[in-house]
Amino acid sequence: MSAAVRNPQPTTLDSIKRSLVALRMPRALEVLDQAMRRIEQGEIDAIGALDHILMEELSIRENRRIRTALLLARLTTIKTLAGFDFAFQPSLDRNRILALAELTFIERAEAVHLLGPPGTGKSHLATALAVEAVKAGKSVAFSTLADLVTSLAKAEKEGTLRERIRYLARPQLLVVDEIGYLPVVPGGGNLFFQLVNARYEKGSMILTSNRGFAEWGDIFGDPVVATALLDRLLHHAVVIQIEGSSYRLRQHADLVPEHVRSKALINPPPIAKRRGRPPGKANSDHNVG
Ligand code: ADP
Ligand code: MG
């Protein structure tokens, strides 16, 4: 019997494994044996194996970081630029969106407005840009205007408005989705203004709206607040107007056979309801014809 079998010496491989455990690199540990086999088979050399092991560990950490940051940003529905069909929205300049995806607007603390009718992809694009920002390591927060105003109003009631605004002023990018779908509660415009003012020239924003700027007075229920908001939000701003049809409706239209679809578009609904007549008394109708 050889000495090695009686008293096995820890190998270099064992030592590497212990180090990986101590360094908390579980993925590297997992792929180590596989990398060793590939070395033995002459597929890669030692330096290649080292690179492979480290890249595996790094990519798993990076994915974990992104997943956590997406949750923190409240980006629950993930949309990507790759998943956006630019051909469907010809009024939209693809290059402008791709330029925004370079994220320099975040460094410049600019506001990006995405305007357009419902279903034209405003939230999709806002989310996709926010996801790009998260991937690039930027701090991001995503909210609808209604949720944002609710949280500010709650903080005000609890006497913590200052802290709340400071907290919301911190992320490098704040996405405010759905401006104009719901009227803002009384006082909400003022609260939102305080936040916008706190972020002005410090942090960037993406805002989506189905209404034009001229309607902000109605949305915020106060033309003075609306003017002050737009003053800040249009100063260093990129405005992207989408003039197209709804992607949501396109999807529905695809489910409807062509002959029904064209008929539905041309003709009004066949059964016109008569007002003030109780149901089930159709036989009393003598005016037909
Ligand atoms: P908006 O916010 O303008 O009302 P959304 O961004 O919510 O519209 O879009 C509605 C749905 O259609 C979403 O599921 C979105 O991912 C999808 N969508 C919209 N436009 C496109 C597009 N051009 N390509 C792919 N998906 C799209
Ligand atoms: Mg939307």
Side-chain angles (χ1 to χ4, degrees), residues 145 149 180 182-190 192 218-221:
L145 176 66
V149 166
L182 298 169
V184 173
V185 295
N190 194 295
F192 183 54
D218 292 337
I219 296 168
F220 290 95

Side-chain angles (χ1 to χ4, degrees), residues 134-194:
V134 164
K135 282 188 185 165
K138 313 275 184 204
S139 51
V140 177
F142 186 102
S143 175
T144 63
L145 176 66
D147 285 350
L148 202 59
V149 166
T150 302
S151 89
L152 289 169
K154 181 166 172 277
E156 187 183 38
K157 215 162 37 182
E158 292 168 354
T160 56
L161 184 60
R162 259 169 167 283
E163 289 77 8
R164 186 73 198 156
I165 285 181
R166 212 176 301 144
Y167 174 79
L168 287 166
R170 225 180 288 150
Q172 289 167 288
L173 171 65
L174 174 67
V175 181
V176 182
D177 198 18
E178 298 188 356
I179 295 176
Y181 279 105
L182 298 169
V184 173
V185 295
N190 194 295
L191 292 170
F192 183 54
F193 172 74
Q194 292 185 53

